[in-house]
């Protein structure tokens, strides 16, 4: 039951992930920076997004490009200064765009002063801020937990004679979230940025914040298959996903509630939808948007996606708000996974499903993974096996067709996309049939039709290979039909509906009750305007 209060911005809005290193370089060092985000504020406004989520820009040794934080309340010089951050925040705010920060509370850099002090001795005041353990009785590792590298999650510290836990690289020691002092320190970090005007946080590795207090071994993963990342051979039932983690979210939510503007708490949580639903917490006291990554792995088939959406909708607690993600800086590009034609369908799906969509920078242009020669590899995880490196999806944005695609005036930190692949933002801005134009049209239609931003979702029957559903709100129903195949298909639609947005180019035509979908074609149909006008959104 809807109350009379307007929905918070994060329910009706669109979030856009900016991988800061690869967005725009303004100081000529080949690395993106905060000033570059400010310089592209008009592009973001024209795209129509409501908020940007920034990957870490804090001081860091860059073992994991900012996800190894050495200072939670500063700006790494490669990205600028706090003054640059404030100027960027203002430039975005002036255009109605909020800023969400990446909070990395599971671990710090091994060079963070907290960990340096923790290593000083077993009696150090900050020793208990991190997870330290003695060797097993047989002298071996404390347990069988694996890091994301596929090796042990424990590293021995000869100076103090104990092992410390790191769920990722050895340079990223895990904080102990069972220590109240750690919780208090991270809440202070959040206050620092909230006081500067940020609109919330995306919490990295949220499901991993608590570990089994008895440090029991993880069991074998029954779903592990040859070719999967090595660390997934164990089910992380004790090293992650612990009861009580939603209480951490409740504490963060209580802090956010003291600030104006409905700041949001987003959680990075990789889980099936049935388990994901638990992170909303009792009475929706947990994470407001537990990131739903399930479209990453679902077979790209109409029946499979329909089943996923139905399962997700059924699993959501009463009143919980859904969300969808199709790409990010840790997974191959949508256009690489699905191909350029279905990348358009994927964009239509993302922007018309019920819930908050999150776009990854460049997906609106159809960016594909960029080939990175061995001598240009930068991601530390690339050394842990073929396909583990994440550089290909982190290539610089192609702003124009000039040198280095307009990202920088010098050689970028990663290779820029090849000329014309994809066409640049400047090129696509002038092409009515481009993916950028399609994305802008979908965003505009979401704003014009509350059914698409707030309405209910209902699957409707369609031919094999076609995904069809209705979005309805306040007496208006929009229909989405998506052909996920390279074959033509015929669909039936209600009489009187008109085509508002099509994947193959701008359309505003009357539609009969039967529509012949071309291969890889998607359409959004809307009822006639209430005033009887014939113009589109």
């Amino acid at each position: 039951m809807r109350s009379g209060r307007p929905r918070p911005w994060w329910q009706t809005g669109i979030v856009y992930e900016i991988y800061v290193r690869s967005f725009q370089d303004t100081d000529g060092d080949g690395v993106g920076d905060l000033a570059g985000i400010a310089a592209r504020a008009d592009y973001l406004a024209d795209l129509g997004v409501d908020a940007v989520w920034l990957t870490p820009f804090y001081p860091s040794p860059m073992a994991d490009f900012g996800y190894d934080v050495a200072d939670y309340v500063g700006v790494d010089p490669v990205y600028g200064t706090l003054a640059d951050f404030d100027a960027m925040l203002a430039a975005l705010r002036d255009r109605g765009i909020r800023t969400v920060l990446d909070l990395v509370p599971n671990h710090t850099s091994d060079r963070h002063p907290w960990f340096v002090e923790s290593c000083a001795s077993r009696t150090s005041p900050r020793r208990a801020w991190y997870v330290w353990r003695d060797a097993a009785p047989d002298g071996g590792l404390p347990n069988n937990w694996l890091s994301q590298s596929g090796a042990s999650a424990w590293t021995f510290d000869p100076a103090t004679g104990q092992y410390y836990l790191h769920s990722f690289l050895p340079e990223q020691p895990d904080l102990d979230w069972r220590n109240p002092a750690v919780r208090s320190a991270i809440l202070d970090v959040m206050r620092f940025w909230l006081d500067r005007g940020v609109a919330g946080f995306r919490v990295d590795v949220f499901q991993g914040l608590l570990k089994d207090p008895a440090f029991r071994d993880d069991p074998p993963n029954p779903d592990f298959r040859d070719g999967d990342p090595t660390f997934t051979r164990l089910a992380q039932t004790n090293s992650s996903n612990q009861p009580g983690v939603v209480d951490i979210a409740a504490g963060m939510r209580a802090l956010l509630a003291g600030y104006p503007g409905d700041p949001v708490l987003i959680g990075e949580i990789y889980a099936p939808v049935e388990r994901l639903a638990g992170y909303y917490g009792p009475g929706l006291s947990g994470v407001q948007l537990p990131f739903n990554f399930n479209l990453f792995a679902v077979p790209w088939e109409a029946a499979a996606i329909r089943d996923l959406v139905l399962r997700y909708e059924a699993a959501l607690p009463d009143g919980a708000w859904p969300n969808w993600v199709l790409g990010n800086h840790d997974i191959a590009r949508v256009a690489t996974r699905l191909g350029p034609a279905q990348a358009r369908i994927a964009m239509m799906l993302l922007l018309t499903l019920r819930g908050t969509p999150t776009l990854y920078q460049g997906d609106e242009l159809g960016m594909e993974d960029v080939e990175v020669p061995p001598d240009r590899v930068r991601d530390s995880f690339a050394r842990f096996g073929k396909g583990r490196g994440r550089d290909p999806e982190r290539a610089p944005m192609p702003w124009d067709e000039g040198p280095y695609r307009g990202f920088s005036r010098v050689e970028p930190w990663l290779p820029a996309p090849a000329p014309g692949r994809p066409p640049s933002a400047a090129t696509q801005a002038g092409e009515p049939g481009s993916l950028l134009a399609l994305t802008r049209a979908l965003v505009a239609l979401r704003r014009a039709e509350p059914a698409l931003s707030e309405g209910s979702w209902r699957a409707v029957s369609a031919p094999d290979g076609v995904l069809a559903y209705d979005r309805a709100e306040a007496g208006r129903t929009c229909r989405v039909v998506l052909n996920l195949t390279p074959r033509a298909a015929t669909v039936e639609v209600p009489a009187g509906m008109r085509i508002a947005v099509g994947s193959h180019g701008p359309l505003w035509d009357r539609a009969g009750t039967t529509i012949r979908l071309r291969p890889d074609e998607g359409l959004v149909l809307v009822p006639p305007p209430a005033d009887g006008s014939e113009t589109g959104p």
Side-chain angles (χ1 to χ4, degrees):
M1 181 69 69
R2 285 281 307 276
S3 69
R5 181 179 182 270
R7 290 192 184 276
W9 67 267
W10 50 267
Q11 289 190 359
T12 58
I14 297 169
V15 179
Y16 184 90
E17 180 193 354
I18 291 180
Y19 191 73
V20 180
R21 292 185 70 84
S22 295
F23 196 63
Q24 178 68 73
D25 170 28
T26 60
D27 61 6
D29 62 358
V31 176
D33 44 50
L34 298 176
I37 299 170
R40 295 296 182 179
D42 285 340
Y43 172 84
L44 297 166
D46 290 343
L47 189 59
V49 300
D50 298 88
V52 295
W53 148 38
L54 307 184
T55 55
F57 52 80
Y58 318 112
S60 168
M62 302 298 171
D64 193 15
F65 291 115
Y67 285 94
D68 50 321
V69 180
D71 177 4
Y72 283 107
V73 293
V75 174
D76 194 285
V78 75
Y79 300 125
T81 65
L82 274 174
D84 292 327
F85 175 85
D86 292 336
M88 177 213 68
L89 198 71
L92 295 173
R93 186 190 302 118
D94 289 347
R95 292 159 177 82
I97 301 171
R98 298 166 176 85
T99 301
V100 174
L101 300 192
D102 216 323
L103 182 68
V104 189
N106 179 73
H107 48 265
T108 69
S109 166
D110 60 350
R111 300 187 199 177
H112 194 293
W114 297 348
F115 189 67
V116 172
E117 186 176 341
S118 185
C119 290
S121 74
R122 291 198 186 194
T123 60
S124 165
R126 286 205 169 93
R127 184 69 168 185
W129 282 42
Y130 293 83
V131 182
W132 293 91
R133 299 290 290 172
D134 289 327
D138 64 1
L141 296 166
N143 62 25
N144 74 342
W145 294 356
L146 298 175
S147 73
Q148 293 273 316
S149 72
S152 173
W154 299 97
T155 288
F156 187 68
D157 176 41
T160 58
Q162 283 188 311
Y163 289 87
Y164 69 86
L165 179 68
H166 52 89
S167 298
F168 293 86
L169 299 171
E171 295 91 340
Q172 295 170 288
D174 281 24
L175 288 162
D176 187 351
W177 271 83
R178 298 191 184 278
N179 186 334
V182 170
R183 299 192 186 201
S184 178
I186 296 298
L187 289 177
D188 284 344
V189 169
M190 297 173 72
R191 287 188 187 94
F192 175 87
W193 294 109
L194 287 164
D195 288 342
R196 296 191 95 86
V198 306
F201 301 90
R202 174 266 194 190
V203 183
D204 187 58
V205 199
F206 182 83
Q207 68 201 59
L209 295 184
L210 291 180
K211 282 76 175 174
D212 175 35
F215 293 92
R216 291 169 291 187
D217 282 355
D218 278 333
N221 177 6
D223 298 322
F224 179 76
R225 300 290 181 269
D226 287 343
D228 290 347
T230 306
F231 76 91
T232 63
R233 65 182 175 84
L234 299 179
Q236 296 178 310
T237 55
N238 292 314
S239 58
S240 187
N241 302 299
Q242 292 296 293
V245 73
V246 292
D247 295 334
I248 295 173
M252 293 177 173
R253 287 280 303 281
L255 173 61
L256 295 179
Y259 287 82
D262 290 317
V264 66
L265 188 68
I266 303 169
E268 183 197 27
I269 300 161
Y270 284 86
V273 293
E274 292 79 9
R275 181 151 53 86
L276 188 69
Y279 286 93
Y280 286 96
L284 304 184
S285 61
V287 181
Q288 288 155 309
L289 294 178
F291 259 160
N292 175 12
F293 298 120
N294 283 274
L295 283 173
F296 288 5
V298 69
W300 197 252
E301 302 165 356
I305 296 173
R306 183 185 301 112
D307 177 67
L308 171 62
V309 179
L310 288 169
R311 286 172 41 223
Y312 184 44
E313 291 281 351
L316 290 169
D318 187 38
W321 191 249
N323 73 92
W324 296 92
V325 185
L326 256 176
N328 66 22
H329 61 280
D330 287 332
I331 189 168
R333 287 278 183 180
V334 175
T336 295
R337 299 187 334 248
L338 304 179
Q342 281 296 311
R344 288 173 169 266
I345 300 301
M347 185 63 74
M348 298 189 76
L349 178 73
L350 180 67
L351 293 177
T352 58
L353 284 171
R354 189 174 83 93
T356 304
T358 297
L359 284 170
Y360 178 41
Q361 70 178 45
D363 281 349
E364 75 277 13
L365 304 177
M367 283 186 70
E368 300 173 286
D369 289 357
V370 171
E371 184 175 350
V372 180
D375 64 333
R376 297 293 305 278
V377 169
R378 297 293 178 263
D379 184 12
S380 297
F381 281 85
R383 68 177 185 264
F384 300 128
K386 184 178 181 181
R388 296 296 308 279
R390 300 160 295 179
D391 292 334
E393 60 263 29
R394 298 177 175 185
M397 277 282 283
W399 292 108
D400 59 40
E401 300 299 345
Y404 310 120
R405 304 302 303 275
F407 167 75
S408 177
R409 57 182 181 270
V410 300
E411 182 77 27
W413 75 288
L414 282 175
R421 187 171 181 180
S424 68
T427 299
Q428 292 196 38
E431 295 180 350
S434 68
L435 179 52
L436 177 59
L438 172 62
T439 305
R440 288 175 173 173
L442 289 164
V443 172
L445 187 61
R446 279 179 63 95
R447 295 191 186 282
E449 289 284 354
L452 292 173
S453 58
E454 303 183 54
S456 62
W457 182 93
R458 183 179 68 89
V460 297
S461 61
D464 288 346
V466 175
L467 178 63
Y469 49 91
D470 284 346
R471 300 293 312 282
E473 174 75 7
R476 285 182 66 80
T477 298
C478 300
R479 176 158 296 184
V480 181
V481 290
L482 305 174
N483 188 355
L484 277 71
T485 77
R487 303 178 300 276
T490 300
V491 296
E492 301 295 323
V493 300
M497 298 197 88
R498 303 191 303 170
I499 300 170
V501 174
S503 61
H504 284 46
L507 296 169
W508 187 257
D509 301 323
R510 291 190 180 279
T513 57
T514 300
I515 295 178
R516 183 74 169 170
L517 285 176
R518 288 172 283 186
D520 305 305
E521 182 172 31
L523 302 172
V524 183
L525 298 98
V526 300
D531 61 4
S533 67
E534 294 293 325
T535 58

